[in-house]
Amino acid sequence: MFTQHQPALVALIGPSGSGKSTIARSFPRGWRFELDAFRELVAGDGGDQASTPDALAVFDPALDARLRRQLPVVIDATSVERVHRMALARRARDHRMKAVAIVCRTPLEACQDRQRGRSATRQVPDPTIAWQHASVPTVQQLQDDEGFAAAYYADELDLMGVLLRRSAQAQPDPFASVRAAFGEDLADVFTWHPDLDPDFDTGIFAVAGQELVVRWYDEGDPYDHHWQARTACPDGCPGPAWVRVTSAADLLTVYQGGLPADEPWCSCDGYGADDAEG
């Protein structure tokens, strides 16, 4: 459809709840322009519709800056109004790029049902969804009347294949296990340090000179593997102790000098002959 070497502006078109954001995730994160994300940026709430003018004041120049650089972009917004779609197609042409449309034709009832599980600010009323659904154009209209170089129905594209091929080529995330256990922000300040303990995968959370050492404890028992954080031995042993941690809350407890529910393991208890040197 298009690649980094054949960039285009891709407009996702469909009512709220039609699956546009899921489709957008088929493409690299850096390509995606999601209006909800800009509302979150300016108002702290992606569902705050009143913040849309301020969000667009950031969205529009950022989009133009990307198009000037001939970089691919995927617009994740409803785009159910003809004037907005034609403006997007025109902006693409102004920057000598193709405008491509992907139309979501999810049944109206499914779009409305998906609102029920959303937060109050993100729920769109049923009548609005019905109006949006009725306003979705055909791919023929988009190509014949609205200036799009190409238009597709989402369910006729191999978007799963696009996502799988891209993911298969991606480098493994060395912090995936840290991210899963302790969250995105802590993973961003984590560094692996295998030299700290040759027997375990060990690393450090570090911010402005403060550090917290953790390691992944796994000695082959499929039922006993977990993260441990290094702490002082509560019995006064000069060597470090290691206590099981399962969450960011456990890490905070250790950092503040406390202990999570489990008792720590320490060399003074005979746990690990090398722990006193760790």
Side-chain angles (χ1 to χ4, degrees), residues 82-270:
R82 175 185 169 92
V83 63
H84 293 160
R85 295 192 299 269
M86 294 185 69
L88 288 174
R90 183 171 59 251
R91 287 169 85 168
R93 292 195 303 274
D94 288 347
H95 291 89
R96 302 178 306 283
M97 291 174 64
K98 282 202 316 181
V100 177
I102 298 179
V103 179
C104 302
R105 47 183 179 182
T106 308
L108 173 60
E109 295 75 14
C111 297
Q112 292 172 331
D113 287 345
R114 289 172 182 171
Q115 305 301 315
R116 316 295 182 238
R118 296 183 173 183
S119 63
T121 58
R122 288 181 180 267
Q123 288 184 16
V124 179
D126 283 356
T128 302
I129 300 286
W131 169 78
Q132 291 176 344
H133 195 275
S135 301
V136 174
T138 67
V139 294
Q140 203 64 46
Q141 288 172 320
L142 289 162
Q143 293 177 100
D144 293 348
D145 303 330
E146 298 189 12
F148 284 86
Y152 309 91
Y153 291 115
D155 55 349
E156 293 180 347
L157 295 173
D158 183 19
L159 293 170
M160 175 62 80
V162 170
L163 176 57
L164 287 170
R165 284 189 289 273
R166 182 169 62 81
S167 298
Q169 294 169 2
Q171 294 296 315
D173 179 2
F175 306 111
S177 59
V178 182
R179 210 179 306 280
F182 305 116
E184 192 79 26
D185 291 338
L186 280 167
D188 286 344
V189 300
F190 181 83
T191 306
W192 290 107
H193 283 277
D195 53 305
L196 289 175
D197 190 332
D199 297 322
F200 298 94
D201 292 329
T202 308
I204 296 176
F205 296 103
V207 179
Q210 291 86 45
E211 296 181 345
L212 184 62
V213 179
V214 296
R215 70 183 185 184
W216 177 247
Y217 175 80
D218 184 356
E219 294 193 322
D221 184 339
Y223 301 104
D224 187 16
H225 43 78
H226 52 265
W227 286 100
Q228 298 175 339
R230 192 169 73 181
T231 185
C233 176
D235 296 327
C237 169
W242 296 91
V243 63
R244 180 173 182 155
V245 289
T246 62
S247 65
D250 284 349
L251 290 179
L252 176 61
T253 298
V254 173
Y255 180 73
Q256 292 176 333
L259 294 172
D262 289 355
E263 289 296 318
W265 294 277
C266 184
S267 56
C268 65
D269 296 326

Side-chain angles (χ1 to χ4, degrees), residues 29-75:
R29 183 180 300 274
W31 296 13
R32 306 175 211 156
F33 270 54
E34 181 183 4
L35 190 53
D36 282 356
F38 284 84
R39 292 192 191 101
E40 177 75 27
L41 181 67
V42 302
D45 182 351
D48 182 356
Q49 300 300 314
S51 71
T52 298
D54 288 333
L56 287 172
V58 183
F59 181 101
D60 285 335
L63 174 58
D64 283 332
R66 188 168 177 86
L67 294 176
R68 279 198 301 272
R69 290 166 174 79
Q70 297 282 292
L71 295 173
V73 60
V74 176
I75 306 297

